[in-house]
Amino acid sequence: MKILRNVRIRHKLTLIIMFTCICALSLAGTALIFWGQVAARHTMAANLSTQAQMIADNCKAAVAFEDAEDAKETLKALGAQPSIVLGEVHTKSGEHFADYSRDKHILIEHQEDGHSFGLGRLMVFKSIVLDGEKIGTVCLKSDLEPLHAMLKRNTIIIVAVLLFASAVAYLVSSSVQTVISGPILSLAGVARTVSEQKDYSVRVQKDSNDEVGLLVGAFNEMLNQIQRHQVALIEANEQLEERVRQRTAELEETHNRLMEASRQAGMAEVATDVLHNVGNVLNSVNVATTLIREKVSNSEVSSLKKVTDIVKEHVADIGTFLTEDEQGRHIPLYLAEVSKALIDEQADNIEKLRSLTENVEHIKEIVKTQQSYAKVSGIEVPTSLVELVENAIQINGAAIDRHGIELVRDFAEVGPISIDKQKVLQILVNLISNAKYAMSRVEKGKKLLAIRIYKHGADKVWIEVADNGVGISEEDLTKIFTHGFTTKKDGHGFGLHSGALTAGELGGSLTAQSDGVGRGATFTLELPFKPVKVTQ
Amino acid sequence: MKKDMKKKKDTRKITAILLLLSFAAVGILYAAEGESAPSKEYQVKAAFIYNFIKFVDWPEETVGDDSARSITIGIIGENPFGGAFEAIIKKKIHDKEVVVKHFGGFAKNSVKYRQDNETKYKYKDEEALKACQVLFVGPSENRYCKEIIDIIKDNCVLTVGETRYFLEDGGIVGFVTEEKKVRFGINLIAAERAELTIRSKLLRLAKRVIKQEERNS
């Protein structure tokens, strides 16, 4: 069947029909020949038996009256039949009585009545019965030439019929096979058109209600569905594109909004820290002013007024009063003491005011710093990284002091670089603030915050902020920079996310490292090393 | 050993007795055969006569009471067949018994008389003779063939004889000997007169047939 794989269905059908026809005909022919032979053998045996019977009948008298000549005469009649080669008459006791022989005479051994087929011969024995008494036997021997001739003739006829029938079968099947192959071929043609041209609008002509008709119907229905689906798909695709465009626009907008929000949030954080510091300093200022007010209100000045009032009463006799009067005599001493106290007081107040001025100056400084950063946002200016880091520490300074964090500075000599310092400050403030938070559980006095600045390679500068706080689990390391991730109770997951974004904007990166929970964490801010050209 | 010897002796005795007995049987049979041993010729003739019956049809009406059950072969004169018939006639023909009947010699058992200027003979057992289906005229009666035939020629009797002119004498079947073989001739005219039908198979074997035409010519 493998060889038929590449044969076209038209030829396949023709072949199948022809093969079936030839098989059936061959079988029928073989059966015919076989039965023909069987029948011919029967007929031949029957004929020879009849012949023997006739001879037996005609020889009856001859045998009865022992007239061998007459018997021989009777046997001569066998000459009319060329297939009979031998005829013999035996007496009752089986002795040879008379014979007829075509060519050479062979005595036949006596046998019982009946016929037997041998190698190329048929023998028939027939009793000669006279009035119910067996008086002899006729024996005839025939060759099988008629059978062979018949076999030959029948075979030739059957083969001829087979050939003719095959030819007719070929012609008939060639035209009949179109009944089946036609619809299939048209189906195949349409299928090819569909697959080659992707044209789903074509349909197969349905002209029968058999299985092929069903197939055609199903195929057409399939094409209908495909066509419908295709249209729907195209529409959906178009809609999808539109939706994607809309979503992209929305996303961009959101992104921008978020960026803005994060930037503002970053600034707000810095501002909060700044205000915190300012608040602390203001507290000192407040304390100082209160002390000064108390000092001033409890001043020895009032004692001086009492003395002046007493002096005023005794203006007329001031001399005597000072020398004579008990009370007046004490006045110069008292005045000396008051003036001494006042001088002390003044010194104290001056000292306090100086401290106050210092504090105010501090506030001014903080605000100024903040102002200077706020002003330069978005512009790259020559910046000293060390100064920048110190500023960041300073902004967090109050908190660092309060939490008792030991600060380790390890600043390599890098030189000023050109960078947007507002953004870097923002990141650093956030990192320090995070570190401070991470170490909130660590025992006071053991909190360690290390900040390092060093050059990495030729064109990178690394700023490392390392703490010995809670650390970061391996799982969290991967999502620590995603938006909305936070471990703080009141956090909004902005800081690191916007920090990483900002670092990216600056042409650098922000990475985190941790040996696991409880082992501290190191954040590394990588910045491009763009040294400022000295124009001198 | 003694026992074996004895056994051997016994076996020998038995063998001897058996041998003696068989010799005796052979002797007796031979003697019986010799007693009525017919010549080969008459054995054949007996068989022929017996077979003739099978090829001859007797008219229906003549099948009388007696002959309905049997076919009688009459032998007139001396019996030349000896026991030859006895061996054959055990078998029935056409479902009828075959009986052999012997008649005495014609000369001794007939009376001569004249009627209408013709010399006629009256046989003693004439009626029995006429009732036969077959009558063989024995060799002893050769001289009286014509006379015997004259008596029964109008009856349904198949006359068989062996004289040279038996057919001319009005006999139906006459034996002849050709090259030491027994053959026969048939007189159809006589057969017709006796209302007997001779089957063609038998006629074909006849060496000589006397027919109407032959006589005319």
Side-chain angles (χ1 to χ4, degrees):
Chain A
M1 286 299 136
K2 258 185 183 172
I3 25 169
L4 280 179
R5 203 172 280 168
N6 296 321
V7 179
R8 305 196 62 181
I9 194 159
R10 227 165 35 208
H11 301 142
K12 233 180 250 182
L13 276 170
T14 310
L15 274 175
I16 286 166
I17 294 168
M18 294 231 356
F19 183 69
T20 312
C21 281
I22 289 169
C23 272
L25 277 171
S26 303
L27 209 64
T30 312
L32 270 175
I33 290 172
F34 180 73
W35 285 117
Q37 281 293 297
V38 170
R41 276 165 81 104
H42 275 282
T43 311
M44 198 177 168
N47 283 344
L48 206 62
S49 287
T50 310
Q51 201 115 28
Q53 183 64 60
M54 280 166 68
I55 299 285
D57 218 40
N58 290 336
C59 281
K60 223 183 258 183
V63 175
F65 299 106
E66 298 180 7
D67 195 336
E69 285 305 312
D70 186 66
K72 209 162 182 173
E73 206 63 36
T74 308
L75 285 171
K76 263 182 192 166
L78 293 171
Q81 208 154 334
S83 64
I84 296 173
V85 292
L86 195 67
E88 274 186 32
V89 175
H90 295 173
T91 60
K92 184 178 162 187
S93 54
E95 285 161 27
H96 178 76
F97 180 68
D99 64 68
Y100 156 80
S101 164
R102 182 168 292 284
D103 30 13
K104 64 179 176 188
H105 180 232
I106 305 150
L107 279 178
I108 299 167
E109 205 178 317
H110 185 72
Q111 281 180 24
E112 289 301 305
D113 274 21
H115 69 264
S116 64
F117 280 96
L119 201 69
R121 56 147 183 85
L122 168 64
M123 297 250 279
V124 168
F125 288 87
K126 205 84 192 180
S127 293
I128 300 167
V129 178
L130 182 60
D131 198 52
E133 190 196 339
K134 180 179 171 182
I135 56 168
T137 307
V138 170
C139 168
L140 297 184
K141 184 176 172 184
S142 168
D143 59 25
L144 299 180
E145 206 43 57
L147 279 182
H148 295 152
M150 189 182 169
L151 179 67
K152 207 165 150 187
R153 196 183 59 234
N154 281 356
T155 309
I156 289 167
I157 289 170
I158 293 290
V159 167
V161 166
L162 194 67
L163 287 175
F164 178 70
S166 299
V168 171
Y170 178 74
L171 290 175
V172 171
S173 63
S174 298
S175 60
V176 166
Q177 53 84 20
T178 52
V179 172
I180 292 167
S181 70
I184 293 175
L185 286 179
S186 78
L187 187 67
V190 171
R192 199 182 302 122
T193 312
V194 167
S195 68
E196 277 172 4
Q197 301 170 9
K198 309 283 175 226
D199 179 7
Y200 297 105
S201 64
V202 287
R203 291 292 178 272
V204 187
Q205 178 82 35
K206 184 184 172 183
D207 34 36
S208 64
N209 287 319
D210 57 0
E211 287 82 351
V212 176
L214 273 175
L215 187 64
V216 167
F219 187 73
N220 283 343
E221 183 50 36
M222 201 174 75
L223 283 178
N224 276 339
Q225 286 183 7
I226 290 173
Q227 206 176 3
R228 275 204 302 275
H229 286 170
Q230 207 189 17
V231 169
L233 208 64
I234 289 167
E235 274 174 21
N237 213 11
E238 281 168 1
Q239 282 175 1
L240 197 67
E241 272 174 26
E242 182 55 31
R243 273 215 297 276
V244 166
R245 251 197 310 281
Q246 281 176 8
R247 285 284 188 286
T248 312
E250 279 170 28
L251 270 174
E252 264 169 26
E253 201 182 317
T254 312
H255 178 72
N256 289 340
R257 268 212 310 277
L258 270 176
M259 284 293 285
E260 184 58 27
S262 69
R263 204 177 61 79
Q264 281 171 359
M267 281 171 71
E269 200 168 348
V270 173
T272 308
D273 287 337
V274 168
L275 287 178
H276 195 82
N277 280 349
V278 170
N280 279 341
V281 182
L282 276 178
N283 207 28
S284 308
V285 170
N286 197 28
V287 168
T289 28
T290 309
L291 282 173
I292 291 167
R293 199 184 67 215
E294 273 175 13
K295 204 87 187 185
V296 170
S297 59
N298 293 330
S299 177
E300 293 297 321
V301 175
S302 55
S303 307
L304 199 60
K305 187 169 181 337
K306 251 189 253 168
V307 174
T308 31
D309 283 346
I310 293 170
V311 170
K312 241 179 216 170
E313 276 175 26
H314 299 282
V315 156
D317 53 343
I318 193 85
T320 49
F321 181 68
L322 284 175
T323 54
E324 306 286 320
D325 195 72
E326 186 68 27
Q327 201 178 14
R329 260 198 320 222
H330 286 98
I331 282 174
L333 198 68
Y334 185 75
L335 274 175
E337 271 175 16
V338 165
S339 60
K340 191 180 177 257
L342 278 173
I343 287 161
D344 282 354
E345 209 177 280
Q346 187 193 27
D348 195 34
N349 280 342
I350 287 165
E351 178 56 36
K352 280 191 167 75
L353 281 172
R354 199 190 55 80
S355 164
L356 192 63
T357 316
E358 207 171 87
N359 278 334
V360 171
E361 275 301 314
H362 191 192
I363 290 168
K364 197 174 142 194
E365 191 66 28
I366 289 169
V367 171
K368 205 175 101 191
T369 309
Q370 174 61 18
Q371 272 175 338
S372 78
Y373 284 115
K375 238 186 272 171
V376 297
S377 180
I379 309 149
E380 287 187 0
V381 289
T383 311
S384 161
L385 283 178
V386 176
E387 198 184 308
L388 204 59
V389 170
E390 285 298 346
N391 280 330
I393 293 168
Q394 190 193 2
I395 288 170
N396 278 296
I400 288 169
D401 288 343
R402 195 170 65 249
H403 290 284
I405 295 165
E406 192 188 334
L407 206 59
V408 180
R409 291 179 174 81
D410 180 10
F411 301 152
E413 202 49 55
V414 174
I417 61 162
S418 178
I419 199 96
D420 182 343
K421 60 179 189 175
Q422 159 67 18
K423 282 180 178 166
V424 177
L425 180 80
Q426 212 168 297
I427 295 167
L428 288 175
V429 166
N430 180 250
L431 286 180
I432 291 165
S433 169
N434 280 350
K436 176 186 76 195
Y437 180 81
M439 289 185 292
S440 54
R441 289 286 175 87
V442 179
E443 211 181 310
K444 229 173 199 176
K446 287 192 176 174
K447 298 177 180 181
L448 207 66
L449 178 65
I451 301 176
R452 283 186 287 275
I453 303 171
Y454 57 94
K455 241 183 103 180
H456 184 84
D459 53 351
K460 300 282 179 206
V461 175
W462 279 19
I463 302 167
E464 262 182 19
V465 179
D467 65 65
N468 60 347
V470 288
I472 308 159
S473 71
E474 205 178 319
E475 190 190 12
D476 285 346
L477 264 179
T478 56
K479 49 190 182 184
I480 201 157
F481 294 108
T482 53
H483 175 244
F485 180 87
T486 182
T487 53
K488 295 178 191 171
K489 264 185 204 162
D490 52 350
H492 23 58
F494 252 176
L496 284 173
H497 176 65
S498 73
L501 282 177
T502 313
E505 278 174 28
L506 294 171
S509 66
L510 182 61
T511 52
Q513 251 178 287
S514 174
D515 292 338
V517 178
R519 294 197 176 181
T522 304
F523 285 86
T524 308
L525 174 64
E526 185 187 80
L527 294 170
F529 180 67
K530 286 187 272 184
V532 181
K533 281 176 188 146
V534 185
T535 48
Q536 263 185 340
Chain B
M1 282 295 267
K2 261 189 180 175
K3 248 184 184 175
D4 283 359
M5 289 284 277
K6 204 183 176 185
K7 225 180 182 178
K8 230 175 189 177
K9 247 180 191 172
D10 284 354
T11 326
R12 272 182 190 167
K13 231 179 226 171
I14 289 165
T15 318
I17 289 166
L18 278 172
L19 269 170
L20 270 172
L21 275 173
S22 52
F23 278 137
V26 167
I28 287 161
L29 279 171
Y30 189 78
E33 194 110 307
E35 191 180 68
S36 58
S39 67
K40 173 80 184 167
E41 185 190 340
Y42 280 101
Q43 271 183 25
V44 172
K45 280 179 178 171
F48 273 33
I49 289 165
Y50 179 77
N51 281 336
F52 286 150
I53 300 169
K54 297 168 181 171
F55 292 95
V56 173
D57 292 325
W58 277 265
E60 287 292 315
E61 63 247 44
T62 63
V63 180
D65 298 329
D66 198 32
S67 59
R69 276 176 276 114
S70 62
I71 289 168
T72 311
I73 300 170
I75 299 164
I76 191 163
E78 282 171 31
N79 178 19
F81 299 109
F85 270 113
E86 274 67 39
I88 303 164
I89 60 173
K90 287 168 202 159
K91 300 160 197 161
K92 291 181 176 180
I93 299 173
H94 304 317
D95 259 342
K96 286 168 188 166
E97 303 254 3
V98 178
V99 182
V100 176
K101 217 169 183 175
H102 295 278
F103 292 95
F106 188 75
K108 287 178 184 171
N109 295 294
S110 62
V111 187
K112 202 176 175 180
Y113 71 93
R114 284 195 71 85
Q115 194 186 351
D116 304 332
N117 289 328
E118 279 183 68
T119 308
K120 291 194 175 178
Y121 292 87
K122 172 78 177 163
Y123 188 69
K124 191 176 75 181
D125 247 348
E126 205 175 283
E127 287 313 305
L129 206 65
K130 285 174 181 172
C132 288
Q133 272 71 44
V134 180
L135 182 70
F136 177 73
V137 181
S140 62
E141 308 302 308
N142 280 354
R143 279 181 60 200
Y144 306 105
C145 272
K146 195 166 166 56
E147 286 75 12
I148 293 167
I149 289 162
D150 277 345
I151 293 170
I152 54 166
K153 65 186 175 190
D154 293 322
N155 293 89
C156 307
V157 182
L158 181 77
T159 48
V160 183
E162 43 185 8
T163 58
R164 191 173 179 183
Y165 298 108
F166 188 74
L167 298 184
E168 280 77 4
D169 288 341
I172 298 171
V173 180
F175 283 124
V176 287
T177 305
E178 280 181 5
E179 295 162 4
K180 290 183 182 173
K181 279 182 183 169
V182 178
R183 293 286 175 253
F184 53 86
I186 292 171
N187 183 346
L188 262 182
I189 299 161
E192 270 166 39
R193 187 166 175 175
E195 291 177 56
L196 297 179
T197 312
I198 311 288
R199 292 201 186 159
S200 59
K201 279 173 184 157
L202 188 60
L203 275 178
R204 205 180 66 196
L205 294 178
K207 295 298 148 190
R208 193 178 152 215
V209 178
I210 296 173
K211 291 190 221 171
Q212 199 79 37
E213 295 88 346
E214 195 181 312
R215 206 190 188 185
N216 284 348
S217 62

